[in-house]
Amino acid sequence: MAKILIVEDDSILSDLYNNTFTFAGYTTVTAKNGLEGLDKARQEKPDIIFLDLMMPKMNGLDLIGELKKDETTKNIPVIILSNFSDEKLAKEALAKGALAYVIKSDYEPKQVIELAQKWLSEKISS
Amino acid sequence: MTSLISPLQHLFSSSKTQQVSQTEADKIMNYIKDLVNREDLIDDLIKKYEQAKHLPLEEQKAAFIPIYIGIEAFIIRNKPLIVKQEFTKEALRESIEKQFDISALEPSFRLLFVPEFQQNILLFEEEAQKLAQYIISSIGLPHLNSAIISLQQAKSKDFIKVDEHGLQFNSIEASLQGVSEKDVRLLFQELYEALFSEIKKSVGQNVAEKVITDIFNNIRGTYDYDIISKILDILPEGVLENERIRLLGREELEDKIRSRTRELDESKKQVEAKVKERTAELEQKTKELNNAMGNLKLSYQQIENERARLLASINSLSLGFVMTDSSDNIIAINHISYQILKCQPDKNFKTMQQFHEYLQTSINVTDYYQKAKNEKHTLKTADIEFEGTFLRLFFTPIMMNTTCIGVVIIIEDITEAKLLERSKDEFFAVASHELRTPLTAIRGFTSLILDNFSDQLKANKGLLDMIKNIHSSSVRLIKIVNNFLDASKLEQGKFLFNLEQFALVPIIESVVTDLNQLAEQRNIYLKFDNETEPIPDVYADSEKVKQIIINLVGNAIKFTEKGGVTISLKKESDYIKICVKDTGLGVSEEYRQLLFRKFQQAGERILTRDAATGSGMGLYIAKLLTEGMKGTITIEDTKLGEGSTFSFTIPFVKK
């Protein structure tokens, strides 16, 4: 099964997504902030990264930038999970290379898994 | 000539009659003198009177008479102001007769104040006595006797006696009882004639006439013409003819003067009447003028009051207030204007030009100003950033009928409102984020439990239901948060529409597919009546259009128990109208007004609203979304118990 990196500073939500993907059979790696996320991405080479935007030390947007700069991480699909309904922010994230911008509260765990499946299959097919 | 006069003067002074009261004559003189206010006009008479007072007593008496006559004539001729009181000669003399003891006066003075009959007798006696005394002194007493003896009339001999002093008439007044005036005159005429003849016989015609003339002249110098003419009547014929003629002429003249005086009086009366009339008119006009002035004063006062009220109102405003006249001069500006515009009152804007120059960097005030004047309606500027504040200006033309006589400019400092808006904006963004995080956890974990622990939950249905309830509540709360966030963004115009060209029919069909299950659950139909003309593509945000349709159809299903819901399309000018018709409860008139308002379900009945039906934001957001896409939303028709038709429009793409 694919390995998923969850970068989320809120421990409960981190727990939620960790459980969501674990129940679905995925291997998970978690990071509590952008910096840690960058380290984990480099070390663990996840198949997909679910990324929060507002985080200490390094925020989600900056992390995308760093990931895209690094040859070893630039091709990992990044999905933004945020509770900010901010079109500008969403556009910026997509422009930096995120594949989707999802409002956390609007998505059931099932839908998050569907999202992961969708982008993982696209990654494989490409 | 002197030889004749001096004895006469002597005769006058020695005339023997009753003792005269100096006091009474003086009193009379003072009385009439006091009747004259303007003594300066009779100063010659006053002077004579002052001199006469210093004469020997005998001469004084004679001197008073012509002065009296002079003053009397002056009084009669003049009106009040110049004299104290208006008198005729008769009335004046009567007044004196009543006030003073005239019996104390010497006959020559007294005769002025007695009835005419007595006056004649007194006068004639006086004058006859003078002739008699001349005869005694110049010719001799016997001649006087012979003259009296020669008298023919019977009565004469009884009443006229002769002694060494002259004639005695002592009892004549009493003796002449029942005798007419004419008889008296005849009696004295005969006496004069006799005396004259006697003198003539002794000294000749010429001297006799001279004597008569001297006596007459003395009378003429003393009395007025009424009395002088009486004497002329009884003088012997042929003597003083010229005087008689002159007097006659004078009488005619006096007649003429009298008639002219009457005429003059008449015209004077007319003139006076006219003057009175004009004076009355003038008084009326003056009154009117005073009234008008009073009214004017009152109006002025009212205007002043209005002005004070207006100024107080303007100065009490928390808005900047600037008023101009038709020549673009600033005629009123309140203190707060300077405060808002961040300058000192000594800036003292006088014209629109100065005002424009001050604000120029941020806004072209003159453009708005002229436009408001020309178009004759209020103009509002966009929000202007001015030295760290936000301003909004309103230009309202002051109309007098159809003429613009100036403009009122209201300056509103909207900085506070702007800041509030901004903080509200930020608040919603942050609050929604903070609310969503725990809600995501509740929703997510309950979902995970329901999905992954179904076996355990089957054993405990109560627990399963509780978890389901927690899950659905979290979903509902998330929707509410989303609605609030959407409404807030839409209100602030910060909602981003993804405008594109698309076909409506597939959207509606998908809504029907999505909601059909809900309709079936309630045993009502949901259909799309797609039998109309071909529908062109519309230009809007397809997601949002779908959201609006879902909202309307969802509401329709929710409030319909029998029948169903029909969706239809209609082309209306530049718009496609989407209609959602139901056969449900209908909306009462009072709720109809509130339908598209925020929290419309609450209204005044916050405790009785149907909490199960939603946040009360649905139609409000649908309205904001429709308007955001340049359309309108409305309730077309509704009848309680029969159903409602809601509709909204969106612009279509013209080919």
Side-chain angles (χ1 to χ4, degrees):
Chain A
M1 278 300 264
K3 190 195 273 181
I4 296 174
L5 172 60
I6 301 155
V7 189
E8 170 63 68
D9 67 323
D10 187 296
S11 61
I12 294 177
L13 288 192
S14 176
D15 208 15
L16 172 69
Y17 293 120
N18 193 10
N19 276 308
T20 300
F21 290 120
T22 310
F23 282 133
Y26 291 96
T27 306
T28 59
V29 179
T30 59
K32 285 196 282 292
N33 58 56
L35 269 183
E36 201 186 327
L38 186 59
D39 284 347
K40 294 271 168 77
R42 284 172 179 162
Q43 289 164 20
E44 303 283 343
K45 304 279 183 292
D47 296 295
I48 189 164
I49 302 172
F50 280 81
L51 180 62
D52 187 21
L53 278 185
M54 197 167 80
M55 289 181 300
K57 292 183 183 170
M58 183 188 284
N59 69 36
L61 283 181
D62 293 342
L63 177 55
I64 302 171
E66 292 302 318
L67 291 169
K68 293 301 167 192
K69 271 192 240 168
D70 190 330
E71 278 299 317
T72 62
T73 57
K74 71 172 185 187
N75 291 321
I76 306 170
V78 177
I79 309 290
I80 305 292
L81 285 171
S82 169
N83 267 331
F84 274 115
S85 292
D86 191 321
E87 278 80 357
K88 266 199 283 184
L89 218 52
K91 277 183 182 161
E92 201 179 336
L94 297 176
K96 288 199 166 193
L99 297 171
Y101 187 102
V102 166
I103 303 291
K104 295 175 203 171
S105 63
D106 288 349
Y107 273 62
E108 291 285 353
K110 263 184 284 189
Q111 291 168 298
V112 180
I113 290 162
E114 281 164 19
L115 207 59
Q117 286 167 344
K118 181 190 167 193
W119 290 107
L120 284 169
S121 65
E122 281 204 10
K123 188 190 170 195
I124 290 158
S125 63
S126 67
Chain B
M1 206 40 62
T2 42
S3 63
L4 285 170
I5 303 245
S6 57
L8 277 174
Q9 279 175 340
H10 167 74
L11 286 177
F12 296 145
S13 58
S14 66
S15 89
K16 171 219 88 62
T17 35
Q18 60 193 112
Q19 199 58 39
V20 172
S21 161
Q22 168 65 25
T23 325
E24 215 58 24
D26 259 340
K27 279 183 195 166
I28 291 170
M29 290 308 288
N30 281 327
Y31 169 69
I32 58 160
K33 193 168 71 78
D34 286 346
L35 284 175
V36 178
N37 284 332
R38 294 284 304 273
E39 284 191 9
D40 56 313
L41 298 176
I42 51 163
D43 55 354
D44 55 331
L45 288 167
I46 300 288
K47 217 178 283 168
K48 278 184 191 164
Y49 174 59
E50 292 303 325
Q51 287 167 358
K53 282 201 283 189
H54 295 101
L55 288 173
L57 210 59
E58 292 303 312
E59 287 175 41
Q60 191 185 67
K61 290 168 198 163
F64 278 174
I65 300 169
I67 296 167
Y68 170 85
I69 297 282
I71 297 175
E72 181 194 71
F74 181 83
I75 292 168
I76 291 158
R77 273 201 311 272
N78 285 293
K79 297 274 175 195
L81 287 185
I82 291 176
V83 295
K84 283 204 174 64
Q85 195 185 335
E86 205 173 342
F87 277 111
T88 60
K89 186 165 84 179
E90 290 73 23
L92 177 58
R93 288 184 183 181
E94 200 183 320
S95 150
I96 290 170
E97 192 263 335
K98 276 183 184 154
Q99 290 180 61
F100 300 97
D101 179 15
I102 55 160
S103 66
L105 296 173
E106 204 197 347
S108 59
F109 199 3
R110 177 167 29 115
L111 65 84
L112 293 174
F113 307 109
V114 298
E116 193 177 12
F117 184 68
Q118 269 175 287
Q119 185 180 58
N120 288 347
I121 293 167
L122 279 175
L123 180 70
F124 298 155
E125 281 178 2
E126 279 284 300
E127 300 317 314
Q129 189 70 286
K130 286 176 190 165
L131 276 180
Q133 286 176 353
Y134 176 81
I135 291 169
I136 292 169
S137 66
S138 300
I139 308 168
L141 187 61
H143 290 275
L144 182 60
N145 272 325
S146 58
I148 299 304
I149 290 160
S150 73
L151 293 174
Q152 297 301 306
Q153 288 188 42
K155 282 184 179 171
S156 311
K157 294 200 179 68
D158 298 337
F159 310 130
I160 304 167
K161 299 274 183 278
V162 178
D163 65 14
E164 71 275 20
H165 299 294
L167 299 171
Q168 294 298 327
F169 303 102
N170 285 345
S171 54
I172 194 161
E173 277 178 53
S175 311
L176 287 177
Q177 288 285 350
V179 176
S180 75
E181 211 182 316
K182 199 184 158 196
D183 290 340
V184 173
R185 198 180 292 120
L186 284 171
L187 190 149
F188 279 98
Q189 268 175 352
E190 196 191 5
L191 175 61
Y192 272 67
E193 187 63 51
L195 294 172
F196 180 64
S197 299
E198 206 53 51
I199 298 167
K200 207 162 59 180
K201 265 191 262 170
S202 303
V203 295
Q205 172 84 14
N206 285 348
V207 176
E209 282 187 19
K210 206 77 199 161
V211 170
I212 294 288
T213 305
D214 279 349
I215 292 170
F216 174 74
N217 281 341
N218 197 284
I219 287 170
R220 197 169 57 181
T222 305
Y223 295 107
D224 58 344
Y225 275 88
D226 285 349
I227 289 171
I228 297 164
S229 63
K230 283 178 205 238
I231 287 295
L232 281 176
D233 263 1
I234 57 160
L235 286 180
E237 275 181 42
V239 182
L240 290 173
E241 279 306 313
N242 287 340
E243 286 301 327
R244 277 181 232 251
I245 289 160
R246 209 183 296 161
L247 194 76
L248 260 151
R250 190 191 160 87
E251 273 172 358
E252 271 175 32
L253 204 63
E254 277 185 340
D255 269 351
K256 271 185 188 159
I257 287 168
R258 265 194 289 275
S259 79
R260 289 304 291 273
T261 307
R262 263 198 303 278
E263 282 168 26
L264 272 173
D265 276 351
E266 201 56 41
S267 31
K268 193 173 137 200
K269 265 180 202 161
Q270 285 173 6
V271 168
E272 275 173 352
K274 266 192 184 146
V275 166
K276 211 169 160 188
E277 198 179 299
R278 287 288 151 83
T279 307
E281 273 175 33
L282 203 67
E283 274 169 5
Q284 183 62 26
K285 288 275 153 69
T286 308
K287 221 176 188 176
E288 284 168 14
L289 199 68
N290 281 337
N291 279 345
M293 272 167 72
N295 288 340
L296 209 63
K297 211 170 157 188
L298 205 67
S299 306
Y300 181 72
Q301 188 60 48
Q302 283 170 346
I303 288 170
E304 282 292 293
N305 289 348
E306 283 305 314
R307 193 180 140 81
R309 288 191 191 109
L310 189 67
L311 275 179
S313 308
I314 290 170
N315 285 326
S316 68
L317 286 174
S318 59
L319 301 164
F321 183 100
V322 181
M323 191 192 271
T324 66
D325 63 12
S326 54
S327 313
D328 307 337
N329 296 309
I330 290 172
I331 53 172
I333 179 163
N334 66 357
H335 190 77
I336 200 94
S337 296
Y338 293 108
Q339 219 170 302
I340 293 175
L341 296 174
K342 305 201 170 193
C343 56
Q344 296 301 314
D346 56 21
K347 194 96 191 164
N348 202 7
F349 297 119
K350 291 263 190 249
T351 60
M352 270 312 289
Q353 184 60 28
Q354 292 172 2
F355 192 62
H356 173 93
E357 278 161 12
Y358 181 72
L359 280 172
Q360 201 170 28
T361 47
S362 45
I363 177 188
N364 193 339
V365 191
T366 307
D367 280 0
Y368 279 100
Y369 179 80
Q370 290 301 341
K371 208 174 167 200
K373 264 171 89 174
N374 296 338
E375 295 179 6
K376 294 172 181 171
H377 63 76
T378 301
L379 285 180
K380 180 177 112 177
T381 65
D383 301 349
I384 304 156
E385 210 171 338
F386 179 78
E387 300 195 354
T389 58
F390 288 93
L391 305 181
R392 199 178 284 159
L393 272 63
F394 296 82
F395 297 79
T396 305
I398 307 166
M399 302 305 298
M400 188 57 109
N401 299 324
T402 54
T403 313
C404 178
I405 58 163
V407 174
V408 167
I409 304 164
I410 298 285
I411 309 163
E412 190 181 1
D413 183 349
I414 53 163
T415 313
E416 280 291 309
K418 273 270 177 190
L419 290 177
L420 211 66
E421 198 178 295
R422 194 172 282 173
S423 64
K424 185 180 146 199
D425 194 6
E426 282 166 8
F427 170 80
F428 272 105
V430 175
S432 63
H433 178 262
E434 296 308 314
L435 284 167
R436 275 168 166 175
T437 302
L439 283 169
T440 308
I442 299 168
R443 178 184 192 165
F445 282 116
T446 49
S447 199
L448 282 182
I449 294 167
L450 290 169
D451 290 347
N452 298 293
F453 301 92
S454 52
D455 292 346
Q456 288 96 320
L457 289 172
K458 264 181 205 159
N460 192 337
K461 181 138 191 324
L463 183 62
L464 175 70
D465 286 346
M466 281 189 266
I467 293 170
K468 275 185 180 170
N469 284 343
I470 296 169
H471 181 259
S472 66
S473 294
S474 69
V475 171
R476 202 169 123 209
L477 197 48
I478 287 164
K479 277 189 186 164
I480 291 169
V481 172
N482 289 348
N483 279 343
F484 271 71
L485 197 60
D486 283 352
S488 162
K489 281 187 188 170
L490 282 161
E491 282 166 356
Q492 292 165 39
K494 292 191 171 161
F495 196 91
L496 293 177
F497 287 97
N498 187 16
L499 297 174
E500 57 183 347
Q501 179 179 340
F502 65 94
L504 259 180
V505 173
I507 301 273
I508 295 169
E509 281 169 345
S510 81
V511 171
V512 171
T513 310
D514 289 350
L515 295 180
N516 207 25
Q517 202 191 346
L518 193 64
E520 278 171 8
Q521 280 172 11
R522 292 181 61 85
N523 285 320
I524 56 170
Y525 62 80
L526 170 61
K527 61 180 185 184
F528 175 31
D529 184 6
N530 192 16
E531 289 171 2
T532 47
E533 57 192 314
I535 298 297
D537 283 358
V538 291
Y539 189 74
D541 183 326
S542 60
E543 281 297 315
K544 300 306 163 199
V545 170
K546 190 172 174 180
Q547 188 182 331
I548 299 164
I549 300 171
I550 289 173
N551 181 277
L552 294 181
V553 174
N555 282 343
I557 293 170
K558 208 174 344 184
F559 294 107
T560 303
E561 283 163 354
K562 274 187 288 182
V565 179
T566 310
I567 307 167
S568 62
L569 297 175
K570 212 192 279 178
K571 219 169 121 180
E572 253 181 24
S573 64
D574 292 347
Y575 297 89
I576 301 297
K577 185 191 261 180
I578 299 117
C579 296
V580 178
K581 187 177 188 313
D582 66 57
T583 56
L585 295 173
V587 180
S588 72
E589 196 55 42
E590 87 183 277
Y591 282 109
R592 198 174 168 155
Q593 310 297 323
L594 303 169
L595 269 181
F596 295 98
R597 310 237 309 244
K598 210 179 204 171
F599 312 121
Q600 47 91 2
Q601 281 196 334
E604 287 175 9
R605 306 177 180 188
I606 194 149
L607 294 175
T608 61
R609 66 183 270 254
D610 184 358
T613 53
S615 64
M617 296 284 282
L619 281 176
Y620 177 63
I621 290 170
K623 179 175 185 272
L624 294 175
L625 286 172
T626 311
E627 287 167 359
M629 294 183 289
K630 316 275 181 237
T632 53
I633 189 165
T634 180
I635 179 164
E636 299 239 307
D637 184 34
T638 185
K639 220 168 201 180
L640 277 179
E642 290 181 23
S644 317
T645 304
F646 284 79
S647 74
F648 71 100
T649 61
I650 40 176
F652 66 77
V653 181
K654 281 183 259 181
K655 293 206 169 137

